[in-house]
Amino acid sequence: QLQLQESGPGLVKPSETLSLTCTVSGGSISSSSYYWGWIRQSPGKGLEWIGNLYYDGTTYYNPSLKSRVTMSVHTSENQFSLRLSSVTAADTAVYYCTRTMVTADYWGQGTLVTVSS
Amino acid sequence: DIVMTQSPDSLALSLGERATINCRSSQSVLYSSNNKNYLGWYQQKPGQPPKLLIYWASTRESGVPDRFSGSGSGTDFTLTISSLQAEDVAVYYCQQYYSSPHSFGQGTKLEIK
């Protein structure tokens, strides 16, 4: 059974960079059938698609976040990662990593990231 | 960006009743070359991530009970629960994956009356 698990700091200071990793188990991140991605959920903005990436490193970002987002794939560790720079309180949310075949069909349990000094 | 609008925001029904949740997109999500609507439905229970119920507007994800069905095309879509069960209490979201960003509706909270 495929499982995804987010990890990373739960507290980030304003203006710093949020960094999260998603570890995939029960399946290979190098499969050509899927995209991998990130979605976040905050009380104020609901569910927000951050972007997807393919095992070869091809990325697709939400235009509203594109200038601050970097997604990377780490095939040897079966992981992928998210970096979001220059964070503000508006970036406080539960961050989910996902697998996408048609649309996001597997989700991690989510990790709460709070932006605060 | 495509804006997804759901109605109603909340819904309270009795067990066994039919639930209908609507989703409207600000532009068509029907891709003419393959005649597919790039529209999915999710169910989210408290403390859990969203769960995919329906994709391509009407294709049920594996393992989803057949009381859940999706319909519609173009800009107007519906999620129907034919006979409400206690375990269906959740927030339901539609999402378009036709164009970036893949936007979600604001959610519809379904409760038991």
Side-chain angles (χ1 to χ4, degrees):
Chain A
Q1 176 76 347
L2 187 77
Q3 291 188 316
L4 292 83
Q5 180 66 58
E6 305 89 352
S7 59
L11 181 64
V12 181
K13 289 183 167 57
S15 79
E16 294 190 345
T17 296
L18 177 160
S19 295
L20 296 175
T21 297
C22 183
T23 301
V24 178
S25 58
S28 173
I29 200 170
S30 299
S31 170
S32 59
S33 300
Y34 308 113
Y35 290 85
W36 306 91
W38 296 90
I39 292 171
R40 68 183 183 180
Q41 185 171 30
S42 61
K45 294 192 73 176
L47 287 162
E48 183 176 27
W49 178 79
I50 300 172
N52 285 340
L53 79 162
Y54 201 46
Y55 77 99
D56 65 358
T58 303
T59 54
Y60 306 87
Y61 297 147
N62 186 324
S64 71
L65 298 170
K66 188 174 183 177
S67 63
R68 299 195 291 132
V69 170
T70 304
M71 293 183 188
S72 305
V73 61
H74 314 285
T75 52
S76 60
E77 294 98 341
N78 221 36
Q79 295 176 332
F80 61 100
S81 61
L82 168 71
R83 289 173 57 86
L84 181 65
S85 64
S86 305
V87 297
T88 70
D91 296 309
T92 294
V94 175
Y95 286 76
Y96 296 100
C97 59
T98 65
R99 186 193 83 169
T100 288
M101 188 167 66
V102 171
T103 188
D105 56 359
Y106 277 89
W107 298 58
Q109 283 301 304
T111 187
L112 174 63
V113 179
T114 301
V115 178
S116 175
S117 55
Chain B
D1 294 5
I2 298 177
V3 177
M4 308 299 290
T5 305
Q6 292 180 228
S7 62
D9 289 332
S10 63
L11 190 57
L13 296 169
S14 301
L15 292 173
E17 282 197 290
R18 175 186 294 262
T20 301
I21 298 171
N22 301 301
C23 175
R24 176 167 288 177
S25 56
S26 61
Q27 62 190 78
S28 176
V29 299
L30 173 63
Y31 193 37
S32 55
S33 67
N34 60 10
N35 202 38
K36 286 184 182 291
N37 288 282
Y38 284 56
L39 189 284
W41 288 98
Y42 291 88
Q43 174 194 65
Q44 186 177 31
K45 297 181 179 180
Q48 296 183 19
K51 173 189 174 183
L52 179 64
L53 297 176
I54 303 280
Y55 57 95
W56 297 137
S58 60
T59 302
R60 206 177 297 115
E61 175 73 338
S62 175
V64 173
D66 61 6
R67 64 180 181 274
F68 291 91
S69 63
S71 62
S73 185
T75 61
D76 290 283
F77 301 90
T78 300
L79 175 69
T80 301
I81 307 172
S82 60
S83 178
L84 189 63
Q85 306 298 303
E87 61 265 31
D88 301 334
V89 169
V91 179
Y92 293 84
Y93 297 92
C94 60
Q95 185 208 19
Q96 65 81 19
Y97 45 97
Y98 179 87
S99 69
S100 176
H102 299 175
S103 44
F104 290 85
Q106 81 278 14
T108 295
K109 187 174 185 179
L110 178 58
E111 298 174 308
I112 303 295
K113 190 187 296 182

